[in-house]
Amino acid sequence: MPFEEDDPLEGTLGKHLESAPPDGQATQDSQATQRKGSQDNQASPKKGSQDSQASPKKGSRDSQASPKKGSRDSQASPKKGSRDSQASPKKGSRDSQASPKKGSRDSQASPKKGSRDSQASPKRGSQDSQASPKKGSQDVQATQRKGSQESQASQSKGSQDSQTSQSKGSMEKTDETPSEQSEEGEGPEETTRSLAHSTSQIMESQLLYSSEENELTSLESPKSESPHSSLSLAWCYGWNSALPVYNLRNQKPRLLLYAAAHTAVLYDALRNCQRHLQGHSNVITCMSVSENRRWISTADKGPQCLVIIWDSFSGIPVRTIFNICPEGNGIKAMAMTNDAKFLVTIDDATCQKVCIWRWTVDTETPACFVTLKSKVGVQEYIIFNPANYRELVSNSKTQLLYYEWDEVKGTLEFSTPVLTEKTFNKTVGKFSQSLFHFVTRQILTATMEGKLVVWDLHPPPRSYTSLEVLHIKACKLLHLQKDGLTVLTTVDNFFVTGDVRGHIKFYDSKLSLVYWYSQFKLGPIRMLSFSKDPLISVGNKSNFSSDCTLPGDPFIVRNFVIATSNARVFHLKTEETQLEEILIEPKEAIHAIACHPYKPLIAIGSVCGLLKMWNYRKKMYVVSRIFKDGLGIQSLTFNPEGFLLGVGFTSGSVYILDAVSLKNEAMEPFKYSRGNITHISFSHDSQYLATADVNCTVAVYKTVIKNEVKVWEYLARLHSHHKEIQSLLFGIQPDNTEPRLLSLGKDRLLIEYDLLRSTRDQLEILDIHRTDQEAIPNCMIWYPPLTRESFLLICNSMYKVKLFNSTTKMCRRTLIGPTYGSPIEQILVLPEKASQDVHKRYLAFINRDKVGLQILPIDGNPHKTAAIICHPNGVSNMTLSYDGTYAFTAGGDDRTVLQWEITLQALEAAVYLGGEDLNPFYGLLDGGREGEFYKELEDYFYYSQLRSQGIDTMETRKVSTHIPLSELPFLMRAIGFYPSEEQIDDMLNEVKFSEYVDTGKLVDSINLPEFVKVYINHRPPFGQTMSEIRNAFKVLGYLNKDGKMAIKREDFLELLLTKGEHMTEEELSDCFSTLFGLNPEGWKSEPATLSHKGSDICLEEELPEEITAEIFTTDILGLPIPEDF
């Protein structure tokens, strides 16, 4: 929450945080019951709001009616002697946040003035949000900084209620703040009487919201978070093991914090529920938490990167630092001070920038910063000195930096001590982490050689009224162990190390070994996070182990969480040395996911060989299997009956498993492929299994009866494509129930195989069709039976969705698909039971980084689609639950699977709001229906009517709303769309056969509304750009003396006459004659203007000897083609 620079209570945050006791035991006060250790660092109001921030608990008449002696203004009875009159929260409340209105879905708090509408998810498509507190709320704990986004306020009614009414008296409303009453000259009696009256009423003008430490996990139902969104995050499987895991609460709830893709997850391990902190549109790269575990900071890397500070008590964002790295370098490391007042960040640029932020103050710039030179290496870790926040230390693999911050001058200086192999004549090793000694003026750095570097700071610190540079020097190199040290931290009076073998050791202030854990075999330690509550030995019957000192005292240390690099998280109860598994997740990329056909089960396979089955309704792990090294799982599929699970591996092996026990169903795995099995699929009757691999080969397996037992055996394989296979699809023959198999490749070939005629080692092909002329097909599915005609739906790289007749393979319709930054890469049909209306069906799709929904039938209406960012670094796979209520996306290298709840009502509402008939399509035209382009289109349309009847005819004109189909190509070119001959054929066939299935008649004309739809669906979605033309010249041309790609005149003419949709010499002469203005207007389109000049043109004289992309575009075509966006 921001504080003003000149706020007289600006120091309140630090005062409370510094003086707060470590526990949360409640104590009673006459004004309000306030928990011991309350961190009122969000209770500091903005300038002018200090009078009467305290809203007493409803019914607390003593606190309302009799302000205590010593209260500066007659506000609501602050505690005697309290410097923060506003810091008197309600019973059990640790802070007073801006309370959203009960049930408010869209604005539990309006963002501050100047909001850029992107509090935590500025990137387009990001619909997920938390809650943004309201400007003007007297308790501005959660007030967002300038630029907070309204999308942060999208909480559901149920989510709001669970947040704002968790504790008794957590919602109150007042007529008028006491500060306003005091300004009007009212006395204490009038003030308290008015306040007593106001607390008994429910007003919409103001709500005071207070969060409690146990409040967050009351939100057990993620379903209620965003009911107005068609896709809302329900669960995260897996986590980013490259980032730390923090232990926020150790008792009930046992709350952990970790990152999954672009989402921070608060996970209650005891209650098995999650809360998702959504707001980043890029993958989270680092996190940190405050000493009291109240404040969480997260940062990402990519375009419009953010740093967001969250309140862990409520799960809402209280501050967002926007565009922190304009170049998109992102944040490499960050840390908070012990009092949580300051945040330090290091970006990931070549020359890194270290910034210290007063995040509690509403400012756009850091308090100080310094830019590092590249020679110091990439600084990967940074930490404040717990005893003095003006000192910091960071390290790269080879260099340690010591920083001093002059808060008065606003400068940040650093020292770079020298340490080489010659310093101690010993191998030092690469640095991992550093920290300040809690007793002496020293810094310790752990290395990957099992050593500890001790740095001395000279001289001792002086007064910081004038900053003097302190010198730092390596004084010792301690060889602690053979194994590399990956973690170095402190707890109580111990230094703690974790190493690559999973050993954890404790040292005292003199670096003498006190205790260790080496029996667990955990793997490389990534993070050790201790409970914030210390343990106390009760009596003589404690179960603490003895330390390794001579007295053998009980070794009493806090419980802690252990996170390892192989994606495992454990909780260690130190009193009884009990190790509990919390998370066992894949440590490598996840590409393979599949849902059971009639049970709430999802199978998740990883490249590390781990196969896990989850119940996605109960969020419970069911069964797992780990395959031996070298067997990375690449693809998965259930058979339609749900008894079998087909598994394709990176080695080319194919396993058929029992879907319940995950044991081998076939005696031996099949090993007929030599590369990754990218696709695997069962036929509808489970008689066939087909696979496709990276070598463009399709293999088929079938069941046979041997000794009265059904077994699987290999049938045949075929190298049918010469480029990567994009889809492999089983279907049913239209005239019988026999299966049919089709494959689609990047070579633009759609191939159907003849399974009945195929024999051992001989896979027969039934037919081959080319799907596109220029675009690359990405995926295909069977179109739902919404029409009498059976279709194959194919999505291509030009954002087009094409419908092909499943029998003739003729292109029947071309439509513009969803345009969310990248074309569709995978598409699935939601099960029929997902829709309440049997006549309505829906599609789910993924592109490069988003998951979305599409209402059928597809017609180009942009309001029929919705999408949201799911995996910013790329989505690798998608599957749907059997009932269509959930979509699952696999993030590949981010090692996570996200479960999305589907709300079709929200999607339908968006269509309704978008308008009916042609209204959604007019918005896709430049200027809309009232723009110049549409008026020009209308003129050309009616001119085509005249032209089709003859320009010079003297006969009576026939008034009509249609034009002949023969005019369609000319009209398209007249308005700036230049389709190829194949595209023209597709357009003509689309209109001509549009009614053939229903009426048996062909259509020979088109009206204006239908023409607008055809134009919008067939034109390039983003027009033509110079980069496309330059790419063509790069392929066909050569580099001339000016450094530009060019084509010689003779080669240029040869290409037009022989390649692609080649032209005849007459067509070529006619075109260039018209382009160079050698023919009259309307030549050959109007009989009266015929000329013979076209055939007499000498192209060698008209064309330059060398043609570049710019000459071709501007001089020859005369087109104003823009540069790229």
Side-chain angles (χ1 to χ4, degrees), residues 505-525:
K505 298 181 181 180
F506 295 79
Y507 299 86
D508 62 15
S509 61
K510 297 181 180 180
L511 298 178
S512 298
L513 184 62
V514 178
Y515 195 80
W516 67 89
Y517 296 99
S518 60
Q519 66 270 38
F520 300 126
K521 299 180 181 179
L522 303 176
I525 303 295

Side-chain angles (χ1 to χ4, degrees), residues 7-305:
D7 189 349
L9 298 180
E10 190 266 348
T12 301
L13 179 67
K15 294 171 186 175
H16 283 283
L17 290 173
E18 291 170 0
S19 62
D23 60 9
Q25 188 176 2
T27 61
Q28 184 70 29
D29 186 85
S30 62
Q31 173 195 0
T33 302
Q34 185 175 11
R35 288 176 183 255
K36 184 177 180 181
S38 172
Q39 312 291 334
D40 289 326
N41 41 355
Q42 290 206 5
S44 185
K46 296 203 173 208
K47 182 176 181 180
S49 64
Q50 49 185 313
D51 300 322
S52 82
Q53 290 301 323
S55 182
K57 180 180 173 184
K58 185 175 181 180
S60 178
R61 299 184 179 178
D62 294 336
S63 61
Q64 294 177 6
S66 57
K68 289 193 175 185
K69 182 177 181 180
S71 176
R72 288 181 285 181
D73 305 300
S74 50
Q75 65 262 47
S77 307
K79 187 176 179 181
K80 182 176 181 179
S82 173
R83 285 175 290 180
D84 302 323
S85 60
Q86 82 279 12
S88 94
K90 291 167 280 187
K91 182 175 181 179
S93 174
R94 293 198 169 202
D95 64 309
S96 301
Q97 303 183 33
S99 173
K101 292 186 180 182
K102 185 175 182 180
S104 172
R105 298 186 182 183
D106 300 317
S107 60
Q108 72 170 339
S110 301
K112 295 182 65 176
K113 183 177 181 180
S115 170
R116 285 178 281 179
D117 292 339
S118 58
Q119 155 63 27
S121 71
K123 196 169 182 179
R124 65 177 178 271
S126 178
Q127 303 174 2
D128 305 301
S129 54
Q130 302 295 329
S132 184
K134 195 171 187 179
K135 181 185 177 183
S137 171
Q138 302 302 318
D139 224 334
V140 292
Q141 168 200 334
T143 303
Q144 299 301 312
R145 62 180 282 280
K146 180 179 179 180
S148 79
Q149 180 183 9
E150 282 190 7
S151 65
Q152 291 292 337
S154 57
Q155 295 291 337
S156 70
K157 180 175 181 180
S159 176
Q160 301 289 349
D161 292 341
S162 61
Q163 285 190 15
T164 59
S165 55
Q166 179 65 29
S167 62
K168 183 179 179 181
S170 63
M171 295 186 63
E172 298 186 14
K173 303 173 174 71
T174 61
D175 278 330
E176 189 176 14
T177 63
S179 61
E180 292 171 350
Q181 298 169 0
S182 298
E183 290 172 2
E184 295 174 3
E186 295 181 2
E189 295 182 2
E190 291 80 0
T191 300
T192 53
R193 191 182 307 114
S194 176
L195 183 59
H197 174 70
S198 65
T199 54
S200 64
Q201 298 180 356
I202 299 178
M203 302 294 294
E204 297 182 356
S205 60
Q206 179 182 342
L207 291 173
L208 298 180
Y209 168 56
S210 58
S211 64
E212 293 185 347
E213 189 169 357
N214 62 349
E215 178 176 330
L216 181 67
T217 51
S218 65
L219 300 176
E220 296 186 47
S221 177
K223 178 179 179 180
S224 63
E225 289 189 4
S226 299
H228 65 283
S229 175
S230 56
L231 288 163
S232 55
L233 185 59
W235 197 261
C236 297
Y237 302 88
W239 62 286
N240 185 354
S241 57
L243 298 182
V245 174
Y246 290 99
N247 182 12
L248 300 185
R249 316 277 189 277
N250 192 62
Q251 303 302 324
K252 294 182 179 179
R254 181 177 296 167
L255 199 61
L256 304 182
L257 169 70
Y258 55 86
H262 64 315
T263 302
V265 180
L266 294 174
Y267 174 57
D268 185 348
L270 298 180
R271 300 169 62 182
N272 192 35
C273 59
Q274 292 181 352
R275 174 65 182 270
H276 307 119
L277 309 184
Q278 296 175 271
H280 292 279
S281 54
N282 305 302
V283 169
I284 294 175
T285 56
C286 57
M287 301 187 299
S288 66
V289 299
S290 61
E291 182 69 19
N292 63 357
R293 317 299 166 87
R294 174 69 183 273
W295 310 110
I296 300 168
S297 59
T298 57
D300 61 44
K301 179 180 181 179
Q304 301 178 358
C305 52

Side-chain angles (χ1 to χ4, degrees), residues 807-828:
T807 303
T808 64
K809 310 299 191 306
M810 183 179 76
C811 180
R812 290 282 289 101
R813 291 204 70 182
T814 300
L815 304 153
I816 183 69
T819 53
Y820 292 104
S822 58
I824 292 176
E825 296 181 357
Q826 184 183 355
I827 195 163
L828 296 173

Side-chain angles (χ1 to χ4, degrees), residues 1088-1105:
T1089 60
L1090 283 176
S1091 171
H1092 301 286
K1093 178 64 178 176
S1095 59
D1096 298 335
I1097 185 174
C1098 181
L1099 296 178
E1100 287 76 8
E1101 297 177 358
E1102 301 293 338
L1103 292 173
E1105 184 177 350

Side-chain angles (χ1 to χ4, degrees), residues 577-595:
T577 317
Q578 293 181 353
L579 188 70
E580 175 189 353
E581 292 182 349
I582 298 179
L583 297 174
I584 307 295
E585 300 295 346
K587 61 182 179 181
E588 295 185 39
I590 300 176
H591 300 292
I593 54 175
C595 281

Side-chain angles (χ1 to χ4, degrees), residues 246-514:
Y246 290 99
N247 182 12
L248 300 185
R249 316 277 189 277
N250 192 62
Q251 303 302 324
K252 294 182 179 179
R254 181 177 296 167
L255 199 61
L256 304 182
L257 169 70
Y258 55 86
H262 64 315
T263 302
V265 180
L266 294 174
Y267 174 57
D268 185 348
L270 298 180
R271 300 169 62 182
N272 192 35
C273 59
Q274 292 181 352
R275 174 65 182 270
H276 307 119
L277 309 184
Q278 296 175 271
H280 292 279
S281 54
N282 305 302
V283 169
I284 294 175
T285 56
C286 57
M287 301 187 299
S288 66
V289 299
S290 61
E291 182 69 19
N292 63 357
R293 317 299 166 87
R294 174 69 183 273
W295 310 110
I296 300 168
S297 59
T298 57
D300 61 44
K301 179 180 181 179
Q304 301 178 358
C305 52
L306 306 171
V307 171
I308 305 178
I309 293 89
W310 312 80
D311 179 4
S312 70
F313 286 5
S314 62
I316 68 171
V318 297
R319 175 68 191 277
T320 300
I321 305 175
F322 290 93
N323 205 22
I324 192 167
C325 299
E327 298 82 9
N329 299 311
I331 303 300
K332 186 69 173 179
M334 65 180 176
M336 273 188 178
T337 56
N338 270 17
D339 61 5
K341 291 179 65 174
F342 301 102
L343 177 74
V344 61
T345 61
I346 303 181
D347 66 20
D348 201 15
T350 303
C351 294
Q352 291 179 289
K353 188 176 180 180
V354 182
C355 300
I356 296 180
W357 304 84
R358 288 188 177 95
W359 66 268
T360 58
V361 177
D362 189 8
T363 179
E364 296 288 335
T365 57
C368 65
F369 68 90
V370 64
T371 301
L372 309 177
K373 296 181 179 180
S374 58
K375 65 181 181 181
V376 301
V378 179
Q379 300 294 304
E380 300 176 340
Y381 184 81
I382 191 167
I383 191 172
F384 282 95
N385 185 350
N388 185 353
Y389 65 85
R390 298 179 182 88
E391 295 181 336
L392 304 91
V393 65
S394 71
N395 66 261
S396 65
K397 298 292 186 186
T398 58
Q399 180 67 60
L400 178 131
L401 300 181
Y402 168 68
Y403 306 84
E404 293 179 303
W405 173 27
D406 188 329
E407 195 171 0
V408 176
K409 296 181 180 179
T411 60
L412 184 64
E413 299 182 2
F414 65 93
S415 303
T416 56
V418 177
L419 176 61
T420 65
E421 304 292 336
K422 297 180 180 180
T423 304
F424 299 104
N425 292 323
K426 293 180 180 179
T427 302
V428 177
K430 294 183 177 181
F431 299 162
S432 55
Q433 293 183 359
S434 302
L435 51 75
F436 287 89
H437 200 294
F438 50 77
V439 176
T440 64
R441 288 285 297 165
Q442 292 178 327
I443 295 174
L444 308 180
T445 300
T447 77
M448 296 305 294
E449 291 291 330
K451 298 176 182 179
L452 202 65
V453 182
V454 182
W455 313 81
D456 272 345
L457 294 173
H458 300 285
R462 301 180 182 179
S463 172
Y464 276 87
T465 55
S466 60
L467 185 68
E468 296 183 9
V469 177
L470 301 182
H471 298 285
I472 179 172
K473 180 181 180 181
C475 64
K476 292 180 183 178
L477 182 64
L478 303 180
H479 194 169
L480 298 184
Q481 59 185 54
K482 294 181 180 180
D483 303 312
L485 299 175
T486 56
V487 173
L488 176 62
T489 186
T490 61
V491 60
D492 300 328
N493 295 318
F494 299 107
F495 294 107
V496 190
T497 64
D499 61 32
V500 293
R501 296 181 60 188
H503 299 166
I504 303 166
K505 298 181 181 180
F506 295 79
Y507 299 86
D508 62 15
S509 61
K510 297 181 180 180
L511 298 178
S512 298
L513 184 62
V514 178

